[in-house]
Amino acid sequence: MSFSLDTPSAASLKSEARVLRDERATAGSPLTQGAALEEVARRHGYRDWNTAVAALPERFVTPVQVGQRVKGTYLGRAFTGLVLGMQLLPDMRHYEVTVKFDKPVNVSRFDWPIERVRVRTTVNLDGVSPARTSDGEPHMRLRRA
């Protein structure tokens, strides 16, 4: 179970279930959506998915929270870090997130280093930025550590 500063919403648990399904499919042991929802609910301390949905508040989904440890990729480079800021954007489907990396991330594809220590970027409700690199990869993929 991941540490959270407040109670998750049903939508955030659904997002976690999608990530779990993707991870299991990549590992070669596919999981149905229902099984993923049940497993995520148990990870958060609920008996099953229906109990979790009944107990959880309806509110906006946040991919991560301020003060939370995160991991992911930034411009194709793996990182771990700390969320310093989150701001819901007017479209109500994207957040501007500020992340301080534990170790500087070299974002250069060439021989010289271009290191980032802190970045601010836009991500959707799943923690994936809509902006893409020239090869089609999202600028950032972000999830709870």
CSV table of all heavy atoms in Angstrom, one decimal, residues 71-80 101 103-114 116 133 137-141:
chain,number,residue,atom,x,y,z
A,71,LYS,N,8.1,8.1,-8.9
A,71,LYS,CA,9.1,7.6,-9.8
A,71,LYS,C,8.5,7.6,-11.2
A,71,LYS,O,7.3,7.8,-11.4
A,71,LYS,CB,9.5,6.1,-9.4
A,71,LYS,CG,8.4,5.1,-9.5
A,71,LYS,CD,8.9,3.8,-9.0
A,71,LYS,CE,7.8,2.8,-8.9
A,71,LYS,NZ,8.3,1.5,-8.4
A,72,GLY,N,9.3,7.4,-12.2
A,72,GLY,CA,8.8,7.5,-13.6
A,72,GLY,C,9.9,7.8,-14.5
A,72,GLY,O,11.1,7.4,-14.3
A,73,THR,N,9.6,8.3,-15.7
A,73,THR,CA,10.5,8.7,-16.7
A,73,THR,C,10.3,10.2,-17.1
A,73,THR,O,9.2,10.7,-17.1
A,73,THR,CB,10.4,7.9,-18.0
A,73,THR,OG1,9.1,8.0,-18.5
A,73,THR,CG2,10.8,6.4,-17.7
A,74,TYR,N,11.4,10.9,-17.3
A,74,TYR,CA,11.4,12.3,-17.8
A,74,TYR,C,12.3,12.3,-19.0
A,74,TYR,O,13.5,12.0,-19.0
A,74,TYR,CB,11.8,13.3,-16.8
A,74,TYR,CG,11.8,14.7,-17.3
A,74,TYR,CD1,10.6,15.3,-17.6
A,74,TYR,CD2,13.0,15.4,-17.5
A,74,TYR,CE1,10.6,16.6,-18.1
A,74,TYR,CE2,13.0,16.7,-18.0
A,74,TYR,CZ,11.8,17.3,-18.3
A,74,TYR,OH,11.8,18.6,-18.8
A,75,LEU,N,11.7,12.7,-20.2
A,75,LEU,CA,12.4,12.7,-21.5
A,75,LEU,C,13.1,11.3,-21.7
A,75,LEU,O,14.3,11.3,-22.2
A,75,LEU,CB,13.3,13.9,-21.6
A,75,LEU,CG,12.6,15.2,-21.5
A,75,LEU,CD1,13.7,16.3,-21.6
A,75,LEU,CD2,11.6,15.4,-22.6
A,76,GLY,N,12.5,10.3,-21.3
A,76,GLY,CA,13.0,8.9,-21.6
A,76,GLY,C,14.0,8.4,-20.5
A,76,GLY,O,14.5,7.3,-20.6
A,77,ARG,N,14.3,9.2,-19.5
A,77,ARG,CA,15.2,8.9,-18.5
A,77,ARG,C,14.5,8.5,-17.2
A,77,ARG,O,13.7,9.3,-16.7
A,77,ARG,CB,16.2,10.0,-18.2
A,77,ARG,CG,16.9,10.6,-19.4
A,77,ARG,CD,17.8,9.6,-20.0
A,77,ARG,NE,18.5,10.3,-21.1
A,77,ARG,CZ,19.4,9.8,-21.9
A,77,ARG,NH1,19.7,8.5,-21.7
A,77,ARG,NH2,20.0,10.5,-22.8
A,78,ALA,N,14.9,7.4,-16.5
A,78,ALA,CA,14.2,7.0,-15.3
A,78,ALA,C,14.6,8.0,-14.2
A,78,ALA,O,15.7,8.5,-14.1
A,78,ALA,CB,14.6,5.6,-14.9
A,79,PHE,N,13.7,8.2,-13.2
A,79,PHE,CA,14.0,9.1,-12.1
A,79,PHE,C,13.1,8.6,-10.9
A,79,PHE,O,12.2,7.9,-11.0
A,79,PHE,CB,13.6,10.5,-12.4
A,79,PHE,CG,12.2,10.8,-12.4
A,79,PHE,CD1,11.4,11.1,-11.3
A,79,PHE,CD2,11.5,10.8,-13.7
A,79,PHE,CE1,10.1,11.4,-11.4
A,79,PHE,CE2,10.1,11.1,-13.7
A,79,PHE,CZ,9.4,11.3,-12.6
A,80,THR,N,13.6,9.1,-9.7
A,80,THR,CA,12.8,9.0,-8.5
A,80,THR,C,12.9,10.4,-7.9
A,80,THR,O,13.8,11.2,-8.2
A,80,THR,CB,13.3,8.0,-7.4
A,80,THR,OG1,14.7,8.4,-7.1
A,80,THR,CG2,13.2,6.6,-7.9
A,101,PHE,N,14.0,16.0,-8.5
A,101,PHE,CA,14.6,14.7,-8.6
A,101,PHE,C,15.6,14.4,-7.5
A,101,PHE,O,16.3,15.3,-7.0
A,101,PHE,CB,15.3,14.6,-10.0
A,101,PHE,CG,14.5,14.8,-11.2
A,101,PHE,CD1,14.8,15.6,-12.2
A,101,PHE,CD2,13.2,14.1,-11.3
A,101,PHE,CE1,14.0,15.8,-13.3
A,101,PHE,CE2,12.4,14.3,-12.4
A,101,PHE,CZ,12.8,15.1,-13.4
A,103,LYS,N,18.3,12.5,-7.8
A,103,LYS,CA,19.6,12.7,-8.5
A,103,LYS,C,19.3,13.4,-9.8
A,103,LYS,O,18.3,13.2,-10.4
A,103,LYS,CB,20.2,11.3,-8.9
A,103,LYS,CG,20.6,10.5,-7.7
A,103,LYS,CD,21.3,9.2,-8.2
A,103,LYS,CE,21.0,8.1,-7.2
A,103,LYS,NZ,21.4,6.8,-7.7
A,104,PRO,N,20.2,14.3,-10.2
A,104,PRO,CA,20.0,15.0,-11.5
A,104,PRO,C,19.8,14.1,-12.6
A,104,PRO,O,20.4,13.0,-12.7
A,104,PRO,CB,21.3,15.8,-11.7
A,104,PRO,CG,21.9,15.9,-10.3
A,104,PRO,CD,21.5,14.7,-9.6
A,105,VAL,N,18.9,14.4,-13.5
A,105,VAL,CA,18.5,13.6,-14.7
A,105,VAL,C,19.2,14.2,-15.9
A,105,VAL,O,18.9,15.4,-16.2
A,105,VAL,CB,17.0,13.5,-14.9
A,105,VAL,CG1,16.6,12.8,-16.1
A,105,VAL,CG2,16.4,12.9,-13.7
A,106,ASN,N,20.0,13.5,-16.6
A,106,ASN,CA,20.7,13.9,-17.8
A,106,ASN,C,19.7,13.8,-19.0
A,106,ASN,O,19.3,12.6,-19.3
A,106,ASN,CB,21.9,13.1,-18.1
A,106,ASN,CG,22.6,13.6,-19.4
A,106,ASN,OD1,22.3,14.6,-20.0
A,106,ASN,ND2,23.7,12.9,-19.8
A,107,VAL,N,19.2,14.9,-19.5
A,107,VAL,CA,18.2,14.8,-20.6
A,107,VAL,C,18.8,14.9,-22.0
A,107,VAL,O,18.0,14.9,-23.0
A,107,VAL,CB,17.1,15.9,-20.4
A,107,VAL,CG1,16.4,15.7,-19.1
A,107,VAL,CG2,17.7,17.3,-20.4
A,108,SER,N,20.1,15.0,-22.1
A,108,SER,CA,20.7,15.1,-23.4
A,108,SER,C,20.8,13.7,-24.1
A,108,SER,O,21.1,12.7,-23.4
A,108,SER,CB,22.2,15.6,-23.2
A,108,SER,OG,22.8,15.6,-24.5
A,109,ARG,N,20.6,13.6,-25.3
A,109,ARG,CA,20.7,12.4,-26.1
A,109,ARG,C,22.1,12.3,-26.7
A,109,ARG,O,22.4,11.4,-27.5
A,109,ARG,CB,19.7,12.4,-27.2
A,109,ARG,CG,18.3,12.4,-26.7
A,109,ARG,CD,17.7,11.0,-26.7
A,109,ARG,NE,16.3,11.1,-26.4
A,109,ARG,CZ,15.7,10.2,-25.6
A,109,ARG,NH1,16.4,9.1,-25.2
A,109,ARG,NH2,14.5,10.3,-25.3
A,110,PHE,N,22.9,13.3,-26.4
A,110,PHE,CA,24.3,13.4,-27.0
A,110,PHE,C,25.3,13.2,-26.0
A,110,PHE,O,25.0,12.9,-24.8
A,110,PHE,CB,24.4,14.8,-27.7
A,110,PHE,CG,23.4,15.0,-28.8
A,110,PHE,CD1,22.3,15.8,-28.5
A,110,PHE,CD2,23.4,14.3,-30.0
A,110,PHE,CE1,21.3,16.0,-29.5
A,110,PHE,CE2,22.4,14.5,-31.0
A,110,PHE,CZ,21.4,15.3,-30.7
A,111,ASP,N,26.6,13.5,-26.3
A,111,ASP,CA,27.7,13.2,-25.4
A,111,ASP,C,27.8,14.2,-24.2
A,111,ASP,O,28.5,14.0,-23.2
A,111,ASP,CB,29.0,13.2,-26.1
A,111,ASP,CG,29.1,12.0,-27.1
A,111,ASP,OD1,28.4,11.0,-26.8
A,111,ASP,OD2,29.8,12.1,-28.1
A,112,TRP,N,27.3,15.4,-24.4
A,112,TRP,CA,27.4,16.4,-23.3
A,112,TRP,C,26.2,16.3,-22.3
A,112,TRP,O,25.1,16.0,-22.7
A,112,TRP,CB,27.6,17.8,-23.9
A,112,TRP,CG,26.4,18.3,-24.7
A,112,TRP,CD1,25.3,18.8,-24.2
A,112,TRP,CD2,26.2,18.2,-26.1
A,112,TRP,NE1,24.4,19.1,-25.3
A,112,TRP,CE2,25.0,18.7,-26.4
A,112,TRP,CE3,27.0,17.7,-27.1
A,112,TRP,CZ2,24.5,18.8,-27.7
A,112,TRP,CZ3,26.5,17.7,-28.4
A,112,TRP,CH2,25.3,18.3,-28.7
A,113,PRO,N,26.5,16.6,-21.0
A,113,PRO,CA,25.4,16.5,-20.1
A,113,PRO,C,24.6,17.7,-20.0
A,113,PRO,O,25.1,18.8,-20.0
A,113,PRO,CB,26.2,16.3,-18.7
A,113,PRO,CG,27.5,16.9,-18.9
A,113,PRO,CD,27.8,16.8,-20.4
A,114,ILE,N,23.3,17.5,-20.0
A,114,ILE,CA,22.3,18.6,-19.7
A,114,ILE,C,21.4,18.0,-18.6
A,114,ILE,O,20.6,17.2,-18.8
A,114,ILE,CB,21.4,18.9,-20.9
A,114,ILE,CG1,22.3,19.4,-22.1
A,114,ILE,CG2,20.4,20.0,-20.5
A,114,ILE,CD1,21.6,19.6,-23.4
A,116,ARG,N,18.9,18.0,-15.2
A,116,ARG,CA,17.8,18.7,-14.6
A,116,ARG,C,17.7,18.2,-13.1
A,116,ARG,O,17.8,17.0,-12.9
A,116,ARG,CB,16.5,18.4,-15.3
A,116,ARG,CG,16.4,18.9,-16.7
A,116,ARG,CD,16.3,20.4,-16.8
A,116,ARG,NE,16.2,20.8,-18.2
A,116,ARG,CZ,17.2,21.4,-18.9
A,116,ARG,NH1,18.4,21.5,-18.4
A,116,ARG,NH2,17.0,21.8,-20.1
A,133,THR,N,7.9,13.8,-27.1
A,133,THR,CA,9.2,14.1,-27.7
A,133,THR,C,9.1,13.8,-29.2
A,133,THR,O,8.0,13.3,-29.7
A,133,THR,CB,10.3,13.1,-27.1
A,133,THR,OG1,9.8,11.8,-27.3
A,133,THR,CG2,10.4,13.4,-25.6
A,137,GLU,N,7.3,9.7,-27.5
A,137,GLU,CA,7.2,9.3,-26.1
A,137,GLU,C,6.7,10.6,-25.3
A,137,GLU,O,7.1,11.7,-25.6
A,137,GLU,CB,8.5,8.9,-25.5
A,137,GLU,CG,8.8,7.5,-25.9
A,137,GLU,CD,7.9,6.5,-25.3
A,137,GLU,OE1,7.6,6.5,-24.1
A,137,GLU,OE2,7.4,5.7,-26.1
A,138,PRO,N,5.9,10.4,-24.2
A,138,PRO,CA,5.5,11.5,-23.4
A,138,PRO,C,6.7,12.1,-22.7
A,138,PRO,O,7.6,11.4,-22.4
A,138,PRO,CB,4.6,10.8,-22.3
A,138,PRO,CG,4.1,9.5,-22.9
A,138,PRO,CD,5.3,9.1,-23.8
A,139,HIS,N,6.7,13.4,-22.5
A,139,HIS,CA,7.8,14.1,-21.8
A,139,HIS,C,7.9,13.4,-20.4
A,139,HIS,O,9.1,13.2,-19.9
A,139,HIS,CB,7.5,15.6,-21.6
A,139,HIS,CG,7.8,16.3,-22.9
A,139,HIS,ND1,7.8,17.7,-22.9
A,139,HIS,CD2,8.1,15.9,-24.1
A,139,HIS,CE1,8.1,18.1,-24.1
A,139,HIS,NE2,8.2,17.1,-24.9
A,140,MET,N,6.8,13.2,-19.7
A,140,MET,CA,6.9,12.6,-18.4
A,140,MET,C,5.9,11.5,-18.2
A,140,MET,O,4.7,11.7,-18.6
A,140,MET,CB,6.7,13.7,-17.3
A,140,MET,CG,6.8,13.1,-15.9
A,140,MET,SD,6.8,14.4,-14.6
A,140,MET,CE,8.5,14.8,-14.5
A,141,ARG,N,6.3,10.5,-17.5
A,141,ARG,CA,5.4,9.4,-17.0
A,141,ARG,C,5.7,9.4,-15.5
A,141,ARG,O,6.8,9.3,-15.1
A,141,ARG,CB,5.7,8.1,-17.6
A,141,ARG,CG,5.3,7.9,-19.0
A,141,ARG,CD,5.6,6.5,-19.5
A,141,ARG,NE,5.5,6.4,-20.9
A,141,ARG,CZ,4.3,6.1,-21.5
A,141,ARG,NH1,3.3,5.9,-20.8
A,141,ARG,NH2,4.3,6.0,-22.8
